[in-house]
Amino acid sequence: TLWRVVRDASLRDLPNRHAISTIVQINLGSQFSLKRMLQGRHAFLSIPLGCLFVVLFASYWVRAAEISSCRFAFSEHPKCSEDSARFLTKDEAFVKDRPEYVQINNLLLIDYIWGMIVTLTTVGYGDFVAVTYLGRVVSGLVAISGIVTSATLTSSLAKAMAWTPQEHTALLLLERDKAQRLLFTMAARRIQDWYRRRCCRGALKRPLWRRLLWRGEVQRRRFRAALKTVQGHAEDAYGVEGHVDLLLSRSAQIGSAVELLLEHHDGGGSSSGAPLSPAEVRSRSIEKPSETFRFTLATGHNGGTKDWASVPKAGEKGMLHSMSVEGLLQKSTQDVRGSRERAQKQLLQCRCACALMSFFSVLCGIVSNKRSWEAAPEGDIDIDTIKAVDLVLCCTALFLVFQSHRILATQHILAVHLVVNTPLHSSWSACVQRVLRRPAFWVEAVITILHLPPTVTFDVAAAVDNGPDSRNYIVYRSENLMSVLSMLKIYQLWPILREFVFWDLPKRHFVGRMTQVNLGCTFALKRLLNSSFAVLYVGMLWFFWMMVFGLVFRNVELTACLYPSMRAPDGSLINPACAEESAFMWKQQGREVRKVNDYTMFTSIWAVFVTSSTVGYGDHIPTTELGRCVMTLVATAGIMAAGLLTATIILELQWTPTEQSVLLMLERQKARRQMRNMAAKLIGTCWMRRMRRLDGLRNDPEYAHNIKKKFRQVLELSKSDTEKLGGVGRKIATVSKRTRDSRDALKK
C-alpha cells in the first residue's frame, strides 16, 4: 500500500499518462515510476528516503527477533532453564572466559538502528551481531539492499555527471571563445619570437624559464587544436541533440522543396507556365528554426529572440566578440557596472579574504578547545585572548560576506535590466535591501558568525537511556562543541573553487544568459568531474573531508569528565554529572565498558578512513550518539565517493569521437596489411588443393571456407570510406553539414 502511494505521488504531475500509455501501449506503472525517481536530482532524495525506510523497518524486525522471552522474569518455559537458552555456546569454559557470549536482551531500538546502518553501509564494525536465524535473514537482506543501493547510486551519479544538450552547447561555445583567446595569445607570442630573431639575430634570447616552459611541439599542437576549434561553423556547438533537431527541420525543408519542384515538373506549377523563381521556392519551403536550441537575446521591452544558427562564423570578427556583453550595454549602466570582469575580480577578492578569515577562526576554535583540556576556561587569560581574536575574525568575515552578496545583488539588478529593460535601481540602499531579502545571506551570516565570545564558557551534559535504571552520561565543553560547529565555515572554499573552475571562461555570463543555462555550482561540478584530472580531484576531496571528519569525530567522542581541567585543586570533580558512576562505566549493546579518551588525531583519521572505505575492522567503534551520527555521514560520503570515482573512471575510459575515428582508421590500415597475407594464403591453399598435396586440417573443406570468410571481412574493412570510420556523433555532424549545403544550394 505504501509503495502504491509513492508510485502515484511520483507520477502526479503527469495527468494524461493513462491516455498516452494506451496510445503507445506501454505500462507506466511501478517500473516506470522507479526509473523516474532514480533520474537526475530526484535520485539523491529517493535513495536516502528508501534507505531510511529500510533501516527503520529492519531494525524493528531484528529487535523483535533478537529478544528472548527466557530473559524476562515472568517466563516459566521449561526450555529456558537449559544452557542453550542462557548462553550462545554450550562450551561452559569458553563462556566463562568470554562473558560477552552470555545471552542478554537489549531493548534499545537505537542500538538496532545503528546495527542496521552499519549493515546497510557494509561497514560491519562487529559491535552488533545477529544471533537468531530470523535476525540473520533480515540482516542479510539489509546487506544485499546496501549493495544494490551502492550500485544504484553509482548509476545515478554517472547519469547526473552527463551533460545535458543545453549544457553541452554552452560548454562548446565557451570552449570556442577560450580557443580564440588562446589563439590570439599564442599567435602574438610567435610573432614576438620571430621579430626578436629577425631584428636581434639571436643576440637576445628568451629567459630560461620561458625556454623551459615553451616545449615547441606541444605548443604547436595546442595552436593547431585552437585554430581548428575557432575555424568551425557556429552550428558545431549544437552537439548531437542539436544536430538531430536541425536534421529534422532541414529534411522537412528539402522534402517540401523537392515536392514543389516535382509538382511544377508535372504541370501543376504556376498558371503562367513560367519556371519557379528561387524566391517562390524559398517562400514555400522555409526552414523552421529549432525550438529546442532557440536562445533568447534581450533587445528591449519586447524581448526579441534570435536563433543561434544565425551567429556568424569565427572568421567574421569572432562569434562571441560580435555579440559581446559590452555591445549590449547602454551608456546609463556604464557608471554603475563599470566592467563585469572588475566586479568578478572584486567578488573573488572578497571571497578569498572571507575564506582566510574563516580559516583562522577555525584555527582559533581548535586552539581554544585544546587549551580547555589542560586548564579551566573560567578566567584563563590565554583562552579569553584567543576568543577575542576569534570575535574580530568572525566580524570581519561577516562584513566580507555582506560585501560579496552586495556585489552579487548589483550584478543581478544589472542582468535583469539588460534582459527585460526594467528601471535600473542600483543605488546602495537598493542593493542592501535586496541582500537582506536573500535567505542565502542569512544562512551564510549565521555560519560565519559562529564563535564563542570571551569569558563565556559552559558545560553540556547529555544522558542516554540504556534501560529502566541505566544511563550513559557524557559532558561536552562549550569550546569542544563550538570547534565542531565552526567546521561548517569550510563552505567558504567552494565559491573560490567554483571561480577557479571558471577563471578561463570570461564570457560565461553572456553565454549562460543566451543559452538559458545556469552556469553555477552544478555546471562547475560537472566540468570538474568530466575533466582529465577528475580522478585526482575525487581523491583530493576524499582526503580533505577525511581530515575534517577526523577532527569532528575526535571532538564528539571525548568526554569532558576525563579532562584534567575538570578536577578542582582538592581532586573533586567540578561538574556534578561527572560524579556519577555511569559517566565512566558505560553500557554498550547491553554490556558494560569503561569510557576512556584514547582518540588521537591520527587514530580518528584512521577510524574515518576505515569507515569511509566500508572496511570496518572494529578496532575503533563510535560510542556516543554524535559519534554514530558522524560515522553515518562518513559511511554515506564514502559510498558516494566510491560511486563517483567509479563513474569518473567509466567516463574516462570511454573513447572520444576523435579517438574512435583514429582507432578505426588504424584498424583499416591493419586490415589492408592483413589482406595481402590472407590473399597469398588463400591462393596457396587453392593451389595445394588443386595439386592434391593437402593433408590433415588443411584438407578439410571448412578450413578453406573460413579463410574465404575472414578474407571477405578484411577486404570489406580495408575498403571502408573515411566518413564511415567516425562515431555516431561525427556521422550525424557530417549529415548535418551536407543538409546545410543542400539547403544553401536550394536557396540559391
Side-chain angles (χ1 to χ4, degrees):
T1 304
L2 183 60
W3 167 245
R4 293 177 182 177
V5 175
V6 174
R7 181 190 60 190
D8 294 339
S10 63
L11 300 176
R12 70 183 185 276
D13 55 339
L14 305 176
N16 295 328
R17 61 181 182 274
H18 301 291
I20 295 176
S21 62
T22 304
I23 294 173
V24 300
Q25 295 183 357
I26 188 173
N27 184 19
L28 302 182
S30 300
Q31 186 176 2
F32 185 84
S33 174
L34 186 62
K35 288 182 179 180
R36 194 164 186 264
M37 287 190 295
L38 296 179
Q39 295 292 329
R41 297 181 180 179
H42 300 285
F44 300 102
L45 179 62
S46 303
I47 293 177
L49 290 178
C51 293
L52 179 62
F53 173 77
V54 170
V55 166
L56 295 178
F57 183 78
S59 60
Y60 179 80
W61 272 83
V62 173
R63 178 173 177 253
E66 293 293 315
I67 293 177
S68 175
S69 60
C70 292
R71 306 303 300 171
F72 294 135
F74 57 82
S75 179
E76 298 179 356
H77 198 277
K79 291 290 185 179
C80 294
S81 59
E82 298 181 2
D83 292 342
S84 58
R86 294 182 297 156
F87 307 109
L88 301 180
T89 178
K90 294 182 179 180
D91 191 353
E92 296 291 343
F94 184 72
V95 171
K96 186 181 297 183
D97 296 337
R98 304 286 298 274
E100 62 270 16
Y101 279 83
V102 178
Q103 187 174 0
I104 58 176
N105 282 343
N106 186 10
L107 302 179
L108 289 179
L109 183 61
I110 188 66
D111 289 340
Y112 291 98
I113 293 176
W114 167 247
M116 291 301 101
I117 290 176
V118 171
T119 306
L120 183 69
T121 55
T122 65
V123 175
Y125 288 117
D127 54 343
F128 174 82
V129 180
V131 296
T132 63
Y133 292 113
L134 182 58
R136 290 176 178 177
V137 169
V138 176
S139 300
L141 293 177
V142 172
I144 295 175
S145 301
I147 297 174
V148 173
T149 301
S150 301
T152 306
L153 186 61
T154 302
S155 176
S156 300
L157 287 172
K159 292 180 180 179
M161 287 169 54
W163 297 104
T164 63
Q166 289 78 10
E167 290 176 343
H168 186 63
T169 301
L171 179 66
L172 291 177
L173 294 177
L174 292 171
E175 291 293 339
R176 187 171 180 176
D177 180 67
K178 175 184 174 182
Q180 189 171 10
R181 291 175 177 268
L182 179 63
L183 188 66
F184 290 156
T185 303
M186 298 181 68
R189 187 178 299 172
R190 280 189 150 189
I191 293 174
Q192 289 177 357
D193 293 338
W194 172 82
Y195 181 77
R196 186 182 294 108
R197 293 193 189 98
R198 183 174 180 84
C199 295
C200 303
R201 301 184 182 277
L204 296 177
K205 296 183 179 180
R206 287 176 296 177
L208 179 61
W209 64 273
R210 288 195 61 183
R211 281 182 286 169
L212 293 176
L213 295 178
W214 173 244
R215 295 181 298 177
E217 185 62 28
V218 177
Q219 296 296 331
R220 280 190 288 270
R221 290 179 182 178
R222 291 181 62 190
F223 183 82
R224 296 191 192 101
L227 183 61
K228 183 179 179 181
T229 303
V230 171
Q231 288 179 345
H233 196 272
E235 291 180 358
D236 295 340
Y238 273 145
V240 177
E241 297 290 338
H243 283 303
V244 172
D245 195 18
L246 286 176
L247 285 175
L248 290 175
S249 60
R250 287 174 181 169
S251 61
Q253 179 196 13
I254 295 174
S256 60
V258 171
E259 290 178 0
L260 180 61
L261 293 175
L262 289 176
E263 290 177 2
H264 181 75
H265 182 270
D266 294 337
S270 60
S271 59
S272 60
L276 291 175
S277 63
E280 187 176 357
V281 175
R282 287 195 299 268
S283 63
R284 298 184 60 179
S285 60
I286 299 176
E287 179 185 4
K288 296 182 179 180
S290 170
E291 295 295 335
T292 305
F293 294 87
R294 186 178 179 87
F295 310 129
T296 57
L297 294 177
T299 57
H301 288 284
N302 298 328
T305 59
K306 184 176 182 180
D307 194 359
W308 182 246
S310 62
V311 176
K313 295 183 180 180
E316 302 173 3
K317 299 182 180 181
M319 177 188 57
L320 292 179
H321 287 280
S322 62
M323 294 190 302
S324 60
V325 181
E326 289 76 10
L328 298 175
L329 288 177
Q330 299 178 359
K331 295 182 179 180
S332 59
T333 61
Q334 293 293 338
D335 54 344
V336 178
R337 174 185 178 274
S339 131
R340 185 177 289 275
E341 288 77 12
R342 185 175 62 186
Q344 285 297 125
K345 185 177 180 180
Q346 293 176 358
L347 178 62
L348 184 59
Q349 291 176 353
C350 290
R351 289 293 189 184
C352 292
C354 184
L356 186 62
M357 296 296 105
S358 299
F359 173 74
F360 285 114
S361 176
V362 172
L363 287 182
C364 289
I366 295 174
V367 172
S368 63
N369 180 34
K370 181 67 175 178
R371 177 64 179 172
S372 66
W373 298 352
E374 303 170 357
E378 295 84 357
D380 189 83
I381 302 297
D382 297 335
I383 295 180
D384 290 340
T385 303
I386 295 173
K387 290 180 180 179
V389 174
D390 191 8
L391 175 61
V392 174
L393 293 173
C394 289
C395 294
T396 307
L398 181 61
F399 174 75
L400 293 173
V401 167
F402 175 79
Q403 286 293 103
S404 302
H405 281 270
R406 187 184 63 81
I407 296 174
L408 291 175
T410 305
Q411 292 184 352
H412 180 75
I413 292 173
L414 181 62
V416 172
H417 171 73
L418 292 175
V419 173
V420 296
N421 201 11
T422 57
L424 186 61
H425 300 288
S426 57
S427 61
W428 192 86
S429 59
C431 294
V432 171
Q433 292 178 4
R434 186 168 187 84
V435 168
L436 297 179
R437 288 197 301 264
R438 299 185 65 181
F441 165 73
W442 292 105
V443 173
E444 290 192 29
V446 170
I447 295 176
T448 305
I449 204 63
L450 284 175
H451 72 286
L452 202 63
T455 70
V456 176
T457 182
F458 53 89
D459 298 334
V460 178
V464 180
D465 293 334
N466 283 319
D469 300 324
S470 177
R471 289 185 177 181
N472 293 340
Y473 283 97
I474 184 170
V475 179
Y476 292 110
R477 285 277 195 185
S478 57
E479 290 79 8
N480 194 357
L481 295 177
M482 194 55 61
S483 65
V484 172
L485 294 177
S486 63
M487 298 303 296
L488 296 174
K489 299 178 182 180
I490 61 175
Y491 86 94
Q492 296 283 357
L493 296 176
W494 169 244
I496 301 175
L497 180 61
R498 182 182 60 195
E499 294 298 328
F500 171 75
V501 173
F502 288 142
W503 73 272
D504 56 342
L505 305 175
K507 298 288 186 180
R508 63 182 182 273
H509 301 285
F510 171 67
V511 173
R513 187 171 66 251
M514 182 180 60
T515 58
Q516 298 180 0
V517 174
N518 183 18
L519 302 182
C521 299
T522 305
F523 192 89
L525 191 61
K526 285 184 179 182
R527 191 163 188 250
L528 277 176
L529 298 179
N530 283 278
S531 63
S532 56
F533 299 99
V535 177
L536 177 62
Y537 295 149
V538 174
M540 293 174 60
L541 177 64
W542 199 335
F543 178 78
F544 174 74
W545 62 253
M546 257 199 325
M547 301 291 109
V548 174
F549 277 115
L551 182 61
V552 173
F553 178 70
R554 182 193 183 193
N555 288 336
V556 298
E557 280 293 310
L558 300 180
T559 176
C561 294
L562 299 177
Y563 291 169
S565 60
M566 288 296 292
R567 293 189 175 274
D570 57 353
S572 61
L573 294 171
I574 299 176
N575 197 310
C578 296
E580 299 287 340
E581 183 180 359
S582 56
F584 302 94
M585 296 299 298
W586 285 16
K587 183 175 288 187
Q588 295 286 331
Q589 300 293 338
R591 294 176 175 84
E592 290 187 353
V593 294
R594 185 172 185 82
K595 177 62 178 175
V596 293
N597 289 346
D598 59 345
Y599 280 99
T600 61
M601 191 61 192
F602 180 79
T603 304
S604 301
I605 295 175
W606 169 250
V608 169
F609 172 74
V610 169
T611 303
S612 64
S613 59
T614 66
V615 176
Y617 289 116
D619 51 349
H620 299 288
I621 301 173
T623 56
T624 63
E625 304 304 323
L626 290 180
R628 290 179 175 180
C629 294
V630 171
M631 283 305 183
T632 301
L633 295 177
V634 168
T636 305
I639 293 174
M640 292 187 65
L644 195 63
L645 187 62
T646 304
T648 302
I649 293 176
I650 291 174
L651 293 176
E652 188 67 24
L653 293 178
Q654 289 181 352
W655 296 106
T656 62
T658 305
E659 291 174 343
Q660 190 175 7
S661 300
V662 171
L663 178 63
L664 293 175
M665 292 178 66
L666 294 175
E667 291 291 338
R668 185 181 65 174
Q669 295 290 41
K670 178 182 176 182
R672 289 179 177 178
R673 291 189 176 183
Q674 290 180 350
M675 185 178 61
R676 299 179 181 178
N677 298 331
M678 296 189 66
K681 189 175 182 180
L682 183 61
I683 294 173
T685 302
C686 295
W687 184 81
M688 294 290 290
R689 173 170 294 181
R690 182 177 293 274
M691 299 300 295
R692 297 183 179 180
R693 297 181 180 180
L694 294 176
D695 54 351
L697 179 62
R698 295 186 300 174
N699 197 20
D700 189 2
E702 188 177 357
Y703 177 75
H705 175 72
N706 293 333
I707 293 180
K708 292 179 182 178
K709 183 179 179 181
K710 191 172 182 180
F711 178 76
R712 294 191 191 99
Q713 294 176 356
V714 174
L715 181 62
E716 183 179 358
L717 180 59
S718 62
K719 291 183 178 180
S720 299
D721 193 3
T722 307
E723 295 180 351
K724 297 180 180 180
L725 299 179
V728 178
R730 186 176 292 273
K731 292 178 181 178
I732 292 177
T734 303
V735 175
S736 177
K737 182 178 181 299
R738 289 181 176 178
T739 56
R740 183 175 67 242
D741 296 339
S742 302
R743 180 202 61 184
D744 296 339
L746 285 174
K747 288 183 178 180
K748 292 179 181 179

